[in-house]
Amino acid sequence: MRNMVLAVAVLALASGPALAQSGATHRFTAGGKAFTVPVPQGYCLPSAETIALAEQVAALDTMNVIHANLDRCGSFGEDYVHIKSPRQSQPIPMPRADFVALIARELQSETGQQLTNDALEDAGRDVAAGTDGEIKLDNTVPRFAGQDDVCAYMALTGDVSGPTGSITMRGVICMTVVGGQFMNVNAYAIEAKGITDAQLKARARAIAASIAPAGA
């Protein structure tokens, strides 16, 4: 069961340890700047029971720093949101609206689609290597899912398999900029729970919109 929970969690590629619970404000640093995000009602950051597993999963991500792992309280790896940014991150010297429009155009281009596919393949290799082949990401299908005033979106489904079986996850990735810092807000849930892309998009957008530079 532990391996299956890990398998579910790694679709988002990583999660990061923290102690605050739902209703709290979580503080994190990205690109050398401090930010805050309210923990949404009904969600919790890892507690004593899940910190070790979150750290284990975080070690699998070679591309990103995970700033917050928000799980539906009482569960882990079933219904969750990750906030993250690239390890090799540069300031974004443009307004959010311009950045979102630029990213949306890129995601729909042939080059952008190829970069997305390559990143997913790299993530799959990292997960397999980090778990000695026990956990695999398969049939991951990304697609552009629109844009608004906060995010450019990618939606995806994928199978996560481990020693005890396979499960299909559904996710929406919000790409945005906050205080000059590029961030992803990724919302995921087990597909069998009946979650829709629209629900995941609304969840990711609300959390992205609530992130603010510390002291703002």
Side-chain angles (χ1 to χ4, degrees):
M1 181 61 185
R2 182 179 178 84
N3 281 335
M4 198 62 230
V5 172
L6 175 60
V8 173
V10 296
L11 185 60
L13 308 183
S15 41
L19 295 175
Q21 297 300 312
S22 184
T25 297
H26 177 57
R27 184 184 177 99
F28 63 91
T29 300
K33 299 179 181 179
F35 296 87
T36 61
V37 61
V39 177
Q41 187 64 36
Y43 284 81
C44 294
L45 290 154
S47 62
E49 293 77 16
T50 55
I51 285 177
L53 180 56
E55 290 176 338
Q56 182 182 1
V57 177
L60 300 176
D61 191 347
T62 63
M63 296 180 291
N64 302 289
V65 177
I66 309 307
H67 305 296
N69 178 49
L70 307 167
D71 278 86
R72 181 74 67 178
C73 295
S75 70
F76 186 86
E78 299 177 8
D79 179 337
Y80 55 99
V81 179
H82 291 164
I83 301 171
K84 59 184 177 179
S85 63
R87 292 185 184 277
Q88 302 300 322
S89 166
Q90 298 295 325
I92 305 296
M94 65 176 67
R96 174 186 276 171
D98 294 343
F99 174 80
V100 167
L102 177 65
I103 289 295
R105 288 195 299 271
E106 181 65 20
L107 290 174
Q108 296 175 82
S109 71
E110 183 175 347
T111 299
Q113 292 171 14
Q114 186 61 55
L115 288 172
T116 299
N117 291 334
D118 290 347
L120 289 171
E121 289 180 6
D122 288 344
R125 283 191 289 269
D126 285 346
V127 168
T131 61
D132 294 326
E134 287 191 349
I135 307 301
K136 295 181 179 179
L137 308 182
D138 297 306
N139 305 316
T140 305
V141 181
R143 58 197 179 280
F144 177 67
Q147 67 187 89
D148 56 30
D149 60 328
V150 177
C151 309
Y153 299 96
M154 290 290 294
L156 57 85
T157 56
D159 298 327
V160 188
S161 59
T164 59
S166 178
I167 196 164
T168 300
M169 298 294 293
R170 180 177 293 276
V172 167
I173 299 171
C174 153
M175 283 155 274
T176 191
V177 63
V178 181
Q181 174 65 41
F182 172 62
M183 296 183 194
N184 284 347
V185 180
N186 300 359
Y188 291 93
I190 296 174
E191 188 173 55
K193 289 183 175 292
I195 195 79
T196 67
D197 286 348
Q199 289 171 312
L200 290 173
K201 183 185 286 190
R203 190 175 298 168
R205 183 189 186 282
I207 292 173
S210 73
I211 301 171

